[in-house]
């Protein structure tokens, strides 16, 4: 079993009968969702809110009942991946482009459980370019303002076309090199007109499930 699968499947054990669950996006939480599908078929009763269209499709395929925020304001638990996890358990997320919905779902959850392989652990965030979601209108102006916060932003593209998020926005991948002050960087970016959300998840993760060749370990806040 690979490290992502180990972490992803282990995290499914946090889910118990009757829970409302935020379903993250990415190749690690993929395994959590597959396992939750098996648990639902074995009788577990849960209701999920997906963080992306991709996850919504997977959840439907494996038979997890889905709800929306019209029905609940708070979730018991969210399980999601990360691109970097610092020693303080702060995160960079959004490598898969789902950061806005991931942030909304995590913020509506009593607990955020993160699943990752050991390569995601860092002492200080910032080696992974920080994804920042921006509205397409005047994105060039927004990108210049974002650069003034101390990074080199690049608009994400796929096959030569701009990547468009599930919310119709662009993603700027922002090379900071190092982010020793994630809360301050997040606040500075959020103040800019045109910035919708950043991939900095500060003080949100309760537990990180790390998979490696030697097994699974848990980091707790
Ligand atoms: C998507 C994300 C993912 O959770 C993050 O990119 C980690 O993905 P993976 O588990 O595939 O490495 O933030 O927007």
């Amino acid at each position: 079993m690979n490290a992502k699968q180990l972490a992803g499947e282990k995290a499914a054990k946090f889910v118990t009968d009757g829970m409302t669950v935020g379903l993250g996006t990415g190749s690690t939480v993929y395994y959590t969702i597959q396992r939750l599908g098996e648990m639902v078929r074995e009788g577990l009763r849960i209701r999920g809110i997906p963080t992306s269209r991709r996850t919504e499709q997977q959840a439907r395929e494996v038979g997890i009942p889905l709800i929306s925020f019209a029905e609940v304001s708070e979730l018991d638990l969210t399980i999601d991946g990360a691109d970097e996890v610092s020693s303080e358990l702060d995160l960079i997320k959004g490598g898969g482009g789902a950061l806005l919905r991931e942030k909304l779902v995590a913020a509506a959850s009593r607990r955020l459980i993160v699943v990752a392989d050991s390569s995601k652990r860092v002492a200080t965030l910032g080696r992974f370019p920080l994804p920042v979601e921006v509205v397409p209108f005047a994105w060039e102006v927004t990108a210049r303002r974002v650069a003034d916060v101390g990074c080199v932003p690049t608009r994400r593209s796929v096959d030569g076309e701009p990547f468009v998020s599930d919310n119709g926005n662009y993603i700027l991948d922002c090379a900071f090199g190092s982010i020793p002050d994630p809360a301050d960087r997040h606040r500075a970016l959020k103040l800019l007109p045109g910035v919708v959300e950043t991939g900095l998840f500060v003080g949100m993760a309760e537990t990180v499930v790390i998979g490696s060749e030697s097994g699974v370990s848990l980091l707790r806040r």
Side-chain angles (χ1 to χ4, degrees):
M1 204 182 278
N2 69 45
K4 290 188 178 203
Q5 185 168 2
L6 275 175
E9 293 191 356
K10 175 82 171 180
K13 293 186 193 297
F14 284 87
V15 179
T16 57
D17 205 41
M19 277 187 169
T20 49
V21 184
L23 303 169
T25 297
S27 58
T28 314
V29 78
Y30 167 88
Y31 292 107
T32 311
I33 297 166
Q34 291 299 111
R35 179 70 195 118
L36 289 177
E38 289 170 11
M39 290 161 68
V40 165
R41 291 195 289 283
E42 289 160 4
L44 180 78
R45 289 162 303 167
I46 57 169
R47 297 176 299 157
I49 294 191
T51 54
S52 63
R53 294 203 183 116
R54 194 167 10 130
T55 293
E56 178 178 349
Q57 185 184 341
Q58 185 194 358
R60 288 192 195 286
E61 281 167 9
V62 300
I64 300 173
L66 298 179
I67 50 172
S68 76
F69 283 113
E71 290 149 272
V72 290
S73 322
E74 196 177 47
L75 300 174
D76 291 306
L77 187 76
T78 286
I79 304 176
D80 204 346
D83 300 300
E84 281 188 347
V85 179
S86 76
S87 38
E88 285 81 29
L89 303 196
D90 295 330
L91 315 171
I92 286 182
K93 289 185 48 52
L99 65 115
L100 175 56
R101 295 190 189 192
E102 290 172 336
K103 181 82 63 91
L104 285 164
V105 170
S109 299
R110 278 195 279 276
R111 302 167 67 196
L112 173 61
I113 311 295
V114 174
V115 288
D117 65 70
S118 54
S119 71
K120 307 290 183 68
R121 289 188 70 178
V122 296
T124 305
L125 298 177
R127 200 177 50 203
F128 189 92
L130 175 68
V132 174
E133 183 153 345
V134 301
V135 294
F137 182 77
W139 75 269
E140 299 92 334
V141 180
T142 307
R144 277 176 226 129
R145 291 197 173 113
V146 165
D148 289 342
V149 175
C151 64
V152 179
T154 304
R155 183 176 58 165
R156 190 177 298 182
S157 60
V158 178
D159 299 331
E161 295 297 320
F163 173 88
V164 177
S165 76
D166 283 352
N167 319 295
N169 295 318
Y170 291 157
I171 304 280
L172 302 178
D173 290 307
C174 300
F176 276 92
S178 176
I179 307 179
D181 49 356
D184 290 347
R185 285 309 92 186
H186 170 72
R187 272 193 294 272
L189 290 164
K190 281 281 279 194
L191 283 173
L192 301 175
V195 169
V196 182
E197 193 49 84
T198 87
L200 285 167
F201 285 51
V202 181
M204 296 183 85
E206 176 215 270
T207 300
V208 182
V209 183
I210 298 281
S212 71
E213 279 172 14
S214 53
V216 181
S217 55
L218 299 188
L219 310 173
R220 292 187 195 275
R221 182 171 294 282

